[in-house]
Amino acid sequence: MKSLSQTFKPSMGYAISIGVFVLCLVWITFFNGDQHYLILSFICLAASMLPFYWHFETRESEAREIVFLAVLATVAALGRVAMAAVPDVKPTSFVIVMTGLTLGPEAGFIVGSTSAVVSNLFLGQGPWTPWQMFAWGAMGISAGLIRNFKIAHNRYFLAILGLVYGFLFGWIMDLWYVMVYVQPLNIKTFIAAYLASFYFDLAHGVTTAILLYLFYQSWYRIITRFKYKYGLAGVQDEINQQSF
Amino acid sequence: MDQQMAKQRSRATGAVRSRLVFEQLNPWVTFSYYVVTIACSMVFLHPIFLLVELLIVVGVNYVARVRKQMVMVLEGSIFMVAFIMVLNPLINNRGAHVIWTFGGTLITVEAIFYGFMMALSLVIVLLTFLSYNKVLTSQKFMYLFSRISPKLTLLTMITLRFVPLFIRRLKNISQAQTVRGINVNRGSSRQRSIGVVKMMEVLLVRSFTDALQTADSMNARGYGSGQRSSYQRYRFKQRDLLCLGWFIPLSGLCFYAASQGIGRMVVYPALGSLGLSLTGWLVLLGVAVLFSFPLILEAWEWLWWNLLKS
């Protein structure tokens, strides 16, 4: 039996995902698919995460890289699991944004979604798990995509970004119950849901902003140093050229 | 004293015996049970269906020994439940029976009823996940996904193992800091949080250094030199096949009935009747059997044991 990476090309995930989206559109347009928010939302969620997982799964990678990502994912997950003593501080988003900024979009996505799964294995899985995987993964990707701009390494910009991330994360996390359990879905519904979770989102955003402002430089230096120590720099160039 | 010891011992052996039959099944069977039950609780929107489902889920949780967590989950989810119950009537002005109006907003019986059903459905899903977390342990979770994507499973596995290790290291670091005169558990919440993140920085450096060794030892033992094999702890036995053999067709039938509109109460434009047709009652029976799958297994085992014993 040939290994997975030989059988499938790393970029085939994109093709599959685009195919799924086209099928979804056909379903919505011709077969009343928009009546089934729940199924549709899960399909879209899975299809939008598939290419990244596919790419990570099928490309060659060393043990060093996997362990490196595991350390970062653990530190991010610890932000939720071990910080019960300090209720205001959940540094998970901070760690994920830092990973994206230093190691690029793919690493950011993998660390974000893995830390969501693992922290939920300790805190309890629920219908929110896939949404958390998506939200934190997207956070890592977007942080990774902007890392080549000079402004992305400005502390004030990062603080604003942290605030925005806090709200975006909260809004994505509101979707899982609003989409299924509230009828009808219109703009009023979403505004009400976002108002209801305003305080939590604000707390999350402010925490992330403060942490990014205060600790950006030291964490950036640490992760970059270990990136070179582990010899991940070559992998880094490869990621830059291949994906995105 | 002796009695107490005996009691303790019996409790200990009880804990050993308390593994449900359901927990001994293949993870795929368990997983399909949870997929089907959660889908059922969202598809069959009818008060009788939902109440029966709720009762059975509470029973399953009772048998699965997650009684304390049940209360905790209900307390924790009260915010969402209240949100759904309040928001539905507020934003939804459809319905025939208006009971109250203020500022152009109509509060209708239908909308309140719908919100109530939706909240019930959410509670069922949340309670189902309680026994899910107990039954589908992380090991089984890994088993389910190790075939599909081995590399991600490896990453998750390593992360899962790192979490307790890092917590221990974090404790060591905080003890060392306390000896140095820096106490992260004191001061204002701002000082504390900054202290915690500083500790995590130390943890990060230390763990990166250690993890390099782990990675190199993985390489030395041949990681990436060939196709990965995986140890399969769970076999697919005859019993699993037997269980799936009736469970999957029955759930297929129930979902087919749901697609025909059975077990879905008409709420809008006017509240329909609560009653069920004959097929409705039959489908309700089917759904009840689906939900009580773990209880049936348990009862069967209990019966068998008592029949053989006598």
Side-chain angles (χ1 to χ4, degrees):
Chain A
M1 204 174 115
K2 278 199 287 185
S3 80
L4 217 70
S5 52
Q6 287 163 335
T7 322
F8 304 106
K9 280 191 176 148
S11 55
M12 223 174 95
Y14 293 101
I16 292 176
S17 160
I18 289 169
V20 170
F21 278 124
V22 169
L23 281 179
C24 276
L25 280 177
V26 169
W27 190 35
I28 292 172
T29 330
F30 298 110
F31 303 101
N32 283 335
D34 50 346
Q35 300 297 314
H36 305 89
Y37 293 119
L38 180 73
I39 301 169
L40 203 64
S41 66
F42 268 111
I43 292 172
C44 288
L45 209 60
S48 55
M49 290 197 285
L50 180 83
F52 306 107
Y53 279 135
W54 191 288
H55 188 263
F56 179 75
E57 188 63 53
T58 47
R59 78 184 160 83
E60 296 287 329
S61 58
E62 287 179 62
R64 282 184 170 197
E65 192 190 345
I66 290 176
V67 175
F68 191 81
L69 292 179
V71 170
L72 282 167
T74 315
V75 172
L78 272 192
R80 291 184 73 212
V81 178
M83 294 299 148
V86 197
D88 317 337
V89 193
K90 298 274 181 279
T92 310
S93 305
F94 164 70
V95 179
I96 291 162
V97 172
M98 284 312 302
T99 309
L101 283 175
T102 46
L103 300 175
E106 188 175 38
F109 175 78
I110 295 295
V111 168
S113 56
T114 309
S115 64
V117 173
V118 170
S119 60
N120 279 337
L121 281 172
F122 286 91
L123 300 172
Q125 306 277 3
W128 50 82
T129 307
W131 296 93
Q132 270 174 349
M133 285 165 67
F134 173 77
W136 268 324
M139 199 183 273
I141 291 172
S142 52
L145 284 177
I146 59 165
R147 80 185 193 288
N148 288 330
F149 296 108
K150 213 170 181 184
I151 192 175
H153 299 272
N154 181 332
R155 296 205 311 187
Y156 296 99
F157 174 77
L158 280 175
I160 297 168
L161 192 72
L163 200 63
V164 172
Y165 273 145
F167 278 101
L168 282 180
F169 181 83
W171 290 351
I172 293 175
M173 291 308 297
D174 283 339
L175 289 179
W176 79 260
Y177 67 102
V178 172
M179 280 228 276
V180 186
Y181 296 107
V182 182
Q183 279 267 320
L185 277 179
N186 53 26
I187 197 82
K188 255 161 64 184
T189 319
F190 287 105
I191 289 173
Y194 295 158
L195 282 181
S197 68
F198 180 80
Y199 171 74
F200 302 102
D201 300 344
L202 186 72
H204 182 200
V206 167
T207 310
T208 314
I210 292 176
L211 291 180
L212 277 173
Y213 181 78
L214 289 179
F215 292 101
Y216 163 73
Q217 268 180 339
S218 58
W219 281 63
Y220 187 83
R221 222 176 318 134
I222 291 168
I223 300 176
T224 314
R225 181 181 149 233
F226 278 99
K227 187 173 89 182
Y228 287 108
K229 185 173 180 182
Y230 274 61
L232 293 182
V235 178
Q236 188 59 32
D237 293 337
E238 204 180 293
I239 291 172
N240 290 347
Q241 283 161 11
Q242 276 183 359
S243 56
F244 313 109
Chain B
M1 193 67 187
D2 267 0
Q3 231 172 8
Q4 215 174 7
M5 290 272 281
K7 213 175 197 178
Q8 261 177 2
R9 202 175 301 133
S10 80
R11 201 176 293 152
T13 50
V16 171
R17 218 171 349 112
S18 79
R19 261 185 87 207
L20 301 180
V21 190
F22 188 53
E23 288 178 75
Q24 297 162 22
L25 293 177
N26 189 283
W28 283 111
V29 183
T30 328
F31 190 67
S32 52
Y33 167 76
Y34 284 107
V35 170
V36 166
T37 47
I38 288 166
C40 271
S41 71
M42 290 174 167
V43 163
F44 293 104
L45 291 176
H46 190 292
I48 298 177
F49 275 79
L50 289 174
L51 283 175
V52 168
E53 286 167 7
L54 183 66
L55 275 179
I56 298 172
V57 167
V58 169
V60 170
N61 279 345
Y62 191 80
V63 172
R65 289 163 195 281
V66 281
R67 290 160 224 180
K68 275 182 199 153
Q69 286 100 309
M70 262 203 290
V71 182
M72 270 165 56
V73 159
L74 288 181
E75 274 174 5
S77 63
I78 213 156
F79 176 74
M80 270 187 295
V81 171
F83 177 78
I84 288 168
M85 283 185 76
V86 170
L87 194 67
N88 261 312
L90 271 185
I91 63 156
N92 198 347
N93 302 332
R94 283 193 292 170
H97 304 90
V98 180
I99 50 171
W100 198 32
T101 59
F102 64 95
T105 308
L106 307 176
I107 306 287
T108 61
V109 179
E110 281 81 4
I112 290 177
F113 200 78
Y114 189 82
F116 172 71
M117 284 206 305
M118 281 304 176
L120 210 58
S121 166
L122 177 69
V123 168
I124 291 171
V125 170
L126 291 175
L127 288 180
T128 311
F129 267 103
L130 265 183
S131 64
Y132 170 93
N133 284 322
K134 175 85 191 293
V135 173
L136 231 79
T137 53
S138 51
Q139 204 149 37
K140 291 183 187 171
F141 186 80
M142 289 294 124
Y143 165 81
L144 288 177
F145 293 102
S146 65
R147 289 265 182 86
I148 299 171
S149 76
K151 202 194 277 182
L152 273 171
T153 312
L154 177 69
L155 176 66
T156 317
M157 217 49 144
I158 296 174
T159 313
L160 203 62
R161 190 269 170 276
F162 274 169
V163 169
L165 180 73
F166 281 24
I167 289 177
R168 212 164 57 220
R169 283 182 187 168
L170 211 56
K171 272 186 195 145
N172 282 350
I173 294 167
S174 102
Q175 280 165 352
Q177 299 284 23
T178 316
V179 171
R180 285 180 61 214
I182 303 164
N183 196 344
V184 287
N185 293 323
R186 267 209 304 258
S188 69
S189 77
R190 192 189 137 89
Q191 280 172 331
R192 263 184 309 172
S193 46
I194 288 173
V196 165
V197 181
K198 273 190 180 152
M199 260 171 33
M200 286 179 80
E201 211 174 282
V202 179
L203 175 75
L204 191 72
V205 174
R206 179 180 169 186
S207 305
F208 270 146
T209 319
D210 282 4
L212 194 61
Q213 223 165 29
T214 312
D216 285 347
S217 79
M218 272 168 71
N219 261 343
R221 289 165 203 207
Y223 173 79
S225 59
Q227 175 83 16
R228 276 179 68 78
S229 64
S230 54
Y231 166 64
Q232 300 297 345
R233 186 190 170 105
Y234 306 99
R235 296 251 178 82
F236 207 84
K237 293 180 197 145
Q238 205 172 10
R239 183 168 64 171
D240 303 313
L241 202 66
L242 212 68
C243 288
L244 278 185
W246 67 264
F247 192 78
I248 297 293
L250 184 60
S251 39
L253 271 179
C254 285
F255 286 127
Y256 176 73
S259 72
Q260 301 297 310
I262 298 165
R264 204 180 173 103
M265 189 173 168
V266 181
V267 179
Y268 300 119
L271 215 56
S273 70
L274 259 179
L276 289 166
S277 62
L278 182 65
T279 33
W281 285 110
L282 279 178
V283 172
L284 176 63
L285 184 71
V287 171
V289 169
L290 285 182
F291 265 76
S292 50
F293 178 38
L295 297 178
I296 292 171
L297 286 176
E298 215 52 33
W300 173 256
E301 207 80 343
W302 182 83
L303 256 181
W304 200 232
W305 167 249
N306 279 303
L307 283 176
L308 284 184
K309 204 165 63 168
S310 56

